[in-house]
Amino acid sequence: MKSIFHLCFYFSFFTSLFFSCKTESQNPNQRIFTDYVSRTVSISIENEDLLGKKRWSGSGFLISKDGFVLTCAHVIGNYQKKLVVRLGGNGKRYLGKVISSDFKKDISLVALETDDTFNFFDLNEKGKAERGQTYYSISSPLGLEESFTSGIVSDPVRVGVDSIVSEISFLQVNQSILPGSSGAALFDVRGNLIGMAQFQLKNSEYNQQGVGFAILPKYLSEFLSSVSLTKFSKEEIQRGIVEVPTITDFLVQNLNLPTREGVLISYLVEKSPAEVSGLKRYDLIVEINGKKIRSNEELNSFFKEVAHSERLQIKVIRNRSEKVLYINP
């Protein structure tokens, strides 16, 4: 009888231990963090050095497999150098550069300088928040990378929060947006993006927690629709042409260029009008539509004045021979 009692006791003990461990291992919040942390980043604008201690001044999230990141424009400001971006999960660091910014709507697009592929949040899923639903976020509040938080959606479409652009609506949440968390993705339990953390309102008369607000996905999509998802800025691209900043003596000698006047093509955007026209890397552009092009400045001035619908006649020097090609709109 005693042995049966002991057997029942140990059976009950190990059964309860097994199920408690199983429950702990299946913690849904831990699963959510593990599934989505690799889609998030921390951002530093201290310097271009990848190594060493960093102060993570903002957050962001990946929106494509080839390394495009969205964050708030105020995180970066007018910083001109390359950013250091830390990937969530494995902590790997990359250099990134700003492709485009909309300071009115506080959105910036950053491209990571790498050929690696990434997990990302899909803006096309059109995640729509509901009042009272739980949201999740992984960010760097006060520089503490990979901080995992959750909260409740207070109002999915709050209008009139921003006095400057009063017509724009925001996602209101019950948690404050601390410094360093701006630019972080807010997503639901299925990983649908429902907003990008932006700012908080706080009554200065009281020492209390602020009310958090996030940019809605529709504004992020509108911003992206006006930007070419290429790792070159609008200033660097003209019909798909990326030019060499300066023609040096080294380039003249090694590429056998007949002159330093003109614009040397560094890169052609894949499937762009310039590539389709037959232009090649290291072609030297010397004339467009009969107008002499002696420098990058003259090329940029020309493209600012010419209509996007205009067909272009491009004269280039290739292997010391002149060629005429046409770029169609």
Side-chain angles (χ1 to χ4, degrees):
M1 187 73 177
K2 189 174 180 181
S3 60
I4 294 175
F5 172 79
H6 286 157
L7 181 62
C8 293
F9 171 79
Y10 285 116
F11 177 78
S12 300
F13 173 76
F14 285 112
T15 300
S16 62
L17 181 63
F18 171 77
F19 281 108
S20 65
C21 291
K22 187 175 182 181
T23 301
E24 184 177 352
S25 66
Q26 292 181 343
N27 177 351
N29 287 339
Q30 179 62 42
R31 179 193 63 77
I32 291 170
F33 175 83
T34 302
D35 286 351
Y36 301 114
V37 65
S38 62
R39 307 181 188 192
T40 68
V41 302
S42 303
I43 296 172
S44 173
I45 59 171
E46 288 181 320
N47 53 58
E48 298 182 17
D49 179 20
L50 283 174
L51 304 177
K53 189 175 181 180
K54 294 291 180 185
R55 182 177 69 247
W56 306 111
S57 53
S59 304
F61 57 95
L62 288 145
I63 58 164
S64 72
K65 67 178 181 180
D66 47 352
F68 286 97
V69 170
L70 280 182
T71 186
C72 286
H74 77 259
V75 168
I76 301 166
N78 292 316
Y79 187 75
Q80 300 296 319
K81 297 181 180 180
K82 292 179 181 179
L83 314 170
V84 176
V85 180
R86 179 191 184 277
L87 184 65
N90 62 16
K92 190 172 181 179
R93 298 181 181 187
Y94 300 90
L95 288 178
K97 63 177 179 179
V98 179
I99 299 300
S100 183
S101 294
D102 184 334
F103 286 96
K104 184 177 180 180
K105 292 185 178 177
D106 199 18
I107 307 171
S108 282
L109 177 67
V110 174
L112 303 186
E113 296 190 341
T114 176
D115 292 327
D116 292 352
T117 57
F118 302 89
N119 297 319
F120 61 95
F121 287 103
D122 189 353
L123 281 175
N124 294 325
E125 290 182 3
K126 300 184 184 300
K128 187 176 181 181
E130 296 180 356
R131 194 186 301 270
Q133 83 169 80
T134 300
Y135 75 87
Y136 303 89
S137 184
I138 303 170
S139 65
S140 301
L142 307 178
L144 303 173
E145 68 272 15
E146 294 184 27
S147 294
F148 184 43
T149 58
S150 65
I152 301 297
V153 174
S154 303
D155 190 324
V157 187
R158 176 70 71 181
V159 182
V161 178
D162 193 326
S163 58
I164 299 176
V165 281
S166 58
E167 73 280 4
I168 292 181
S169 52
F170 295 87
L171 180 79
Q172 180 186 337
V173 296
N174 70 324
Q175 298 290 334
S176 58
I177 307 297
L178 295 175
S181 290
S182 295
L186 272 56
F187 54 93
D188 66 17
V189 67
R190 298 181 185 85
N192 296 320
L193 184 74
I194 62 173
M196 181 170 75
Q198 185 184 21
F199 70 101
Q200 65 175 328
L201 288 180
K202 189 174 182 180
N203 192 325
S204 59
E205 296 181 9
Y206 302 97
N207 185 18
Q208 59 187 15
Q209 186 180 27
V211 178
F213 293 92
I215 300 171
L216 293 171
K218 68 175 183 178
Y219 296 120
L220 302 177
S221 296
E222 288 175 6
F223 167 76
L224 288 174
S225 67
S226 66
V227 178
S228 297
L229 279 185
T230 172
K231 295 191 176 184
F232 300 94
S233 68
K234 289 181 179 178
E235 289 73 22
E236 292 174 301
I237 295 177
Q238 312 287 356
R239 304 284 179 100
I241 299 170
V242 183
E243 70 268 17
V244 171
T246 305
I247 300 177
T248 63
D249 290 335
F250 176 85
L251 291 174
V252 170
Q253 180 178 352
N254 283 270
L255 297 178
N256 196 24
L257 300 177
T259 176
R260 292 184 64 163
E261 287 192 347
V263 172
L264 187 65
I265 297 177
S266 169
Y267 180 84
L268 291 164
V269 177
E270 186 178 2
K271 297 180 181 178
S272 67
E275 185 186 60
V276 172
S277 75
L279 284 171
K280 294 185 177 181
R281 189 182 187 190
Y282 300 139
D283 279 352
L284 183 68
I285 299 173
V286 293
E287 186 177 296
I288 304 179
N289 289 1
K291 178 181 176 63
K292 295 289 185 182
I293 302 295
R294 291 179 288 268
S295 66
N296 292 11
E297 290 74 18
E298 290 187 0
L299 178 71
N300 293 331
S301 296
F302 176 87
F303 276 112
K304 286 179 181 178
E305 297 174 0
V306 70
H308 290 288
S309 59
E310 185 173 341
R311 188 184 192 218
L312 305 180
Q313 182 190 68
I314 309 281
K315 182 185 287 187
V316 301
I317 296 176
R318 181 187 300 170
N319 298 327
R320 301 188 74 86
S321 298
E322 287 190 354
K323 287 184 175 294
V324 176
L325 301 149
Y326 295 89
I327 298 181
N328 294 313

